[in-house]
Amino acid sequence: AQTVTQSQPEMSVQEAETVTLSCTYDTSESDYYLFWYKQPPSRQMILVIRQEAYKQQNATENRFSVNFQKAAKSFSLKISDSQLGDAAMYFCAYRSEETSGSRLTFGEGTQLTVNP
Amino acid sequence: GAVVSQHPSRVICKSGTSVKIECRSLDFQATTMFWYRQFPKQSLMLMATSNEGSKATYEQGVEKDKFLINHASLTLSTLTVTSAHPEDSSFYICSDRQPAADTQYFGPGTRLTVL
């Protein structure tokens, strides 16, 4: 079974600075997707960014980018120019493309605080 | 992204009663929807996969008779917590998978409190 590990329960960053959230995963599969979701205090899960494992190029969405290291099974999220609205719980998630169900496996989450 | 609604957003019920939570996919027909449970300050735990027109697939350890799932139409899945007890109090979240975007989008969640 696949597992996702987020080793940083809490992180903090100053407004306008850059922060990197870590995520590692364990799988024997070669075809999968990786996601970062954020969950603000409203508890609405919001997709931040996604990465297909077969793509070598790191995904980027405005101020959010990932560092995808397939061999190392690492998928970190970099938030540039942090804003107060970025404060949230961030979840890394894995989805297999080889087994049925399209289920997401989530990490434990990282609570990000943005300091003004 | 896709829009998913849930109703109610918050419900309080007495122990022993049943509660139904609705999950609607508003902008496309979802043949598959997912139900998650989340305890405070914890991650999401997949409870079951809801398949339109067929029986739901439950994760190991989830009681299917306790958490009844019905996916009778392409836009609506319901989760019924039967004979609710205080330990069923939790935050329940549904999601759908939009094939075109190959991504799951989540509803706003339902906070269930069982007294």
Side-chain angles (χ1 to χ4, degrees):
Chain A
Q2 296 83 21
T3 59
V4 178
T5 303
Q6 293 178 248
S7 59
Q8 307 154 314
E10 299 178 346
M11 291 283 285
S12 64
V13 63
Q14 290 296 126
E15 196 175 3
E17 297 294 309
T18 296
V19 65
T20 298
L21 308 184
S22 300
C23 173
T24 59
Y25 57 96
D26 186 23
T27 185
S28 59
E29 299 173 344
S30 59
D31 192 10
Y32 52 87
Y33 281 78
L34 296 165
F35 303 84
W36 278 98
Y37 284 89
K38 66 181 283 189
Q39 188 179 41
S42 68
R43 302 192 77 172
Q44 169 74 62
M45 292 285 285
I46 301 167
L47 176 68
V48 175
I49 199 166
R50 70 175 199 156
Q51 174 83 42
E52 293 111 300
Y54 64 86
K55 288 188 176 180
Q56 293 185 337
Q57 186 172 8
N58 289 323
T60 299
E61 287 288 341
N62 300 314
R63 298 182 295 107
F64 299 88
S65 61
V66 298
N67 183 3
F68 174 47
Q69 301 291 326
K70 191 172 184 178
K73 298 179 183 175
S74 172
F75 183 62
S76 61
L77 174 69
K78 185 172 81 170
I79 305 174
S80 304
D81 186 25
S82 297
Q83 301 176 359
L84 295 177
D86 295 333
M89 179 73 88
Y90 285 80
F91 291 101
C92 178
Y94 171 102
R95 192 187 78 220
S96 169
E97 289 300 291
E98 298 179 14
T99 57
S100 62
S102 300
R103 65 183 60 187
L104 288 173
T105 300
F106 285 94
E108 307 92 330
T110 297
Q111 181 68 53
L112 178 66
T113 301
V114 181
N115 300 309
Chain B
V3 181
V4 179
S5 71
Q6 270 184 253
H7 178 80
S9 58
R10 183 173 297 202
V11 57
I12 301 172
C13 69
K14 293 182 179 180
S15 186
T17 62
S18 294
V19 174
K20 179 185 286 188
I21 302 170
E22 294 184 347
C23 178
R24 293 183 185 273
S25 177
L26 298 182
D27 55 355
F28 78 98
Q29 296 177 330
T31 56
T32 302
M33 300 177 86
F34 304 89
W35 287 96
Y36 296 85
R37 184 173 182 176
Q38 185 182 31
F39 290 106
K41 299 190 184 299
Q42 292 189 23
S43 188
L44 280 70
M45 181 190 76
L46 180 65
M47 298 175 66
T49 301
S50 172
N51 303 299
E52 189 269 334
S54 65
K55 291 183 179 180
T57 303
Y58 289 83
E59 295 300 301
Q60 192 172 10
V62 178
E63 300 175 59
K64 58 184 66 178
D65 294 331
K66 173 76 171 175
F67 299 100
L68 299 178
I69 291 173
N70 184 278
H71 194 157
S73 78
L74 287 171
T75 59
L76 174 64
S77 176
T78 60
L79 168 67
T80 301
V81 183
T82 62
S83 187
H85 290 283
E87 56 265 31
D88 298 324
S89 298
S90 190
F91 193 66
Y92 293 88
I93 310 174
C94 70
S95 73
D96 65 11
R97 177 184 170 182
Q98 188 179 49
D102 218 16
T103 299
Q104 280 190 32
Y105 292 93
F106 290 81
T110 297
R111 183 184 301 278
L112 170 63
T113 302
V114 185
L115 302 177

